[in-house]
Amino acid sequence: KTLNSNAILKLNLFSKLLFIMLLAFTVNSFIYFSFGNIYSSKILNYADFSKQFHSGIYQYRILSGYLIFWIYETLSTLNIDYSIFKFRFLESRSEPQMYLSFYILNTIFLVLSAALLLFITETKNFIATNSEKILLVSVAVFAMAITQFVIVPYDVSSYFLIVLFFYFLLKYLEKNSDFNLIILVVILMISTLNRETSALSISLAATLLYSKYGLRKEMIKPVLILALTFIAVYFGMRFLHESFTTNDGNLLFQNFSEPKNILGFLFWMVFFLFTIIIAKDQHAKRNIILFHVFSIPYVLMCIYTGIMYEIRLYIPIFITSLLISRTDISKIH
């Protein structure tokens, strides 16, 4: 009976995993192949993409840059008839090969993110019914997909790395070993080479560690180590490039004056309220709020130098809050 029960559980997990990965693949495919992109149309060719992503703050997001170039070059070796995709571009300079490279990279990481999110919902610390687990992961998948009207190579991969950090942070909370901390440090280093949103992983660690230990050395030491890791990689890349660009200009006035950016603020508020509403209890709600408090440096940088209409900026906070909303720290011993 025990063997049959285990077999049924594995079969159920496999069926859910298969569904959620197919969902991610299907939704992202429709996003890329069924709509004409307006927002990112000017970088959908190799030359313009290279120019933009080798300058300013983009030049430090090296991991995703190498990946997109590798996919583009791999596609160059294949004899693909791009007319079968029936792409329609607003810019005459747009290349089907470049667009397909974005699609492949972001779809792979969306599928991986969806799978990892499902595995987190299956941990003993995640409090939800089977239906709620599938629905929560599905919401995350749709949120990651629809915000890709801004097409970039580093967003979806950064979501995956943040979710991966969450997964191993739960393991660290269960066993505060040096090995588990080293894994978190390595993930954070890779994540920082990909995008600065890796700093949110530190906010997450501070939130969950504080929730478990309070303001004690068990909380302060790992957070300090993670913070120093981020600082070392962040500034190390700037020393190597002999450039210290941290943003691409002040957009504060535009964010509070242009209607589309005010709409972006509304998106942040609505999706924040969503995580608060579905939170399992008051403790989870406090952790979501605490996570947002620890994320204030990131939020301020988004408002100062980001475009709030690019709602992708809130997605890493939203996904993390979604997981926090159902994570029971008291079950971690």
Side-chain angles (χ1 to χ4, degrees), residues 38-103:
I38 299 172
Y39 202 90
S40 301
S41 59
K42 292 185 178 180
I43 63 163
L44 297 180
N45 69 80
Y46 188 91
D48 290 338
F49 172 80
S50 298
K51 182 180 178 181
Q52 177 172 334
F53 286 89
H54 283 96
S55 62
I57 196 171
Y58 306 108
Q59 65 186 304
Y60 310 118
R61 298 167 181 174
I62 59 176
L63 178 61
S64 52
Y66 284 135
L67 287 174
I68 198 73
F69 288 131
W70 177 78
I71 293 172
Y72 183 90
E73 290 167 4
T74 301
L75 290 177
S76 298
T77 65
L78 305 175
N79 187 24
I80 299 175
D81 179 11
Y82 291 100
S83 64
I84 64 173
F85 298 110
K86 300 184 184 300
F87 290 136
R88 296 290 183 270
F89 299 114
L90 295 178
E91 294 283 337
S92 59
R93 287 168 53 81
S94 297
E95 299 176 23
Q97 185 175 330
M98 196 70 208
Y99 189 71
L100 193 62
S101 299
F102 278 113
Y103 163 74

Side-chain angles (χ1 to χ4, degrees), residues 113-130:
S113 298
L116 192 53
L117 282 166
L118 182 68
F119 281 124
I120 291 175
T121 66
E122 293 296 319
T123 62
K124 64 181 179 180
N125 313 305
F126 199 86
I127 311 303
T129 65
N130 283 327

Side-chain angles (χ1 to χ4, degrees), residues 28-291:
N28 217 51
S29 297
F30 270 93
I31 291 294
Y32 275 82
F33 295 120
S34 301
F35 301 93
N37 187 278
I38 299 172
Y39 202 90
S40 301
S41 59
K42 292 185 178 180
I43 63 163
L44 297 180
N45 69 80
Y46 188 91
D48 290 338
F49 172 80
S50 298
K51 182 180 178 181
Q52 177 172 334
F53 286 89
H54 283 96
S55 62
I57 196 171
Y58 306 108
Q59 65 186 304
Y60 310 118
R61 298 167 181 174
I62 59 176
L63 178 61
S64 52
Y66 284 135
L67 287 174
I68 198 73
F69 288 131
W70 177 78
I71 293 172
Y72 183 90
E73 290 167 4
T74 301
L75 290 177
S76 298
T77 65
L78 305 175
N79 187 24
I80 299 175
D81 179 11
Y82 291 100
S83 64
I84 64 173
F85 298 110
K86 300 184 184 300
F87 290 136
R88 296 290 183 270
F89 299 114
L90 295 178
E91 294 283 337
S92 59
R93 287 168 53 81
S94 297
E95 299 176 23
Q97 185 175 330
M98 196 70 208
Y99 189 71
L100 193 62
S101 299
F102 278 113
Y103 163 74
I104 292 171
L105 178 67
N106 289 329
T107 301
I108 288 172
F109 276 108
L110 186 63
V111 170
L112 291 175
S113 298
L116 192 53
L117 282 166
L118 182 68
F119 281 124
I120 291 175
T121 66
E122 293 296 319
T123 62
K124 64 181 179 180
N125 313 305
F126 199 86
I127 311 303
T129 65
N130 283 327
S131 298
E132 289 170 339
K133 291 174 183 178
I134 288 292
L135 288 171
L136 287 173
V137 178
S138 298
V139 167
V141 167
F142 277 99
M144 287 185 282
I146 64 173
T147 53
Q148 287 184 77
F149 62 83
V150 183
I151 299 179
V152 289
Y154 46 76
D155 274 351
V156 187
S157 54
S158 73
Y159 307 152
F160 169 75
L161 290 166
I162 286 174
V163 175
L164 186 66
F165 185 93
F166 194 108
Y167 180 80
F168 281 100
L169 179 61
L170 293 178
K171 291 186 176 297
Y172 179 77
L173 287 167
E174 290 177 0
K175 185 180 180 181
N176 296 6
S177 66
D178 291 339
F179 178 73
N180 285 334
L181 183 57
I182 289 171
I183 292 176
L184 291 177
V185 167
V186 171
I187 294 172
L188 184 64
M189 290 174 66
I190 296 171
S191 186
T192 306
L193 289 172
N194 189 60
R195 194 182 176 204
E196 303 80 10
T197 48
S198 58
L200 292 173
S201 294
I202 305 171
S203 304
L204 167 64
T207 300
L208 297 190
L209 287 166
Y210 179 80
S211 180
K212 183 177 181 180
Y213 299 111
L215 203 60
R216 291 158 50 189
K217 68 176 183 178
E218 290 88 350
M219 177 262 182
I220 296 172
K221 180 183 175 182
V223 171
L224 184 60
I225 290 172
L226 291 169
L228 290 174
T229 299
F230 173 81
I231 291 169
V233 176
Y234 183 87
F235 286 103
M237 285 191 293
R238 284 156 175 77
F239 276 112
L240 289 174
H241 283 84
E242 297 182 350
S243 170
F244 294 89
T245 301
T246 57
N247 63 74
D248 285 333
N250 182 354
L251 298 174
L252 198 62
F253 177 76
Q254 291 94 318
N255 280 328
F256 286 99
S257 61
E258 295 182 0
K260 69 175 186 178
N261 291 330
I262 294 172
L263 187 63
F265 280 110
L266 179 62
F267 180 94
W268 283 52
M269 183 183 71
V270 169
F271 276 66
F272 164 72
L273 290 175
F274 178 82
T275 60
I276 292 294
I277 291 169
I278 67 167
K280 66 179 184 63
D281 55 28
Q282 290 299 121
H283 189 67
K285 291 179 182 178
R286 286 196 296 270
N287 281 343
I288 292 170
I289 294 170
L290 184 61
F291 171 63

Side-chain angles (χ1 to χ4, degrees), residues 287-305:
N287 281 343
I288 292 170
I289 294 170
L290 184 61
F291 171 63
H292 279 73
V293 170
F294 284 133
S295 301
I296 284 177
Y298 171 81
V299 174
L300 292 178
M301 282 301 294
C302 286
I303 295 173
Y304 177 76
T305 190

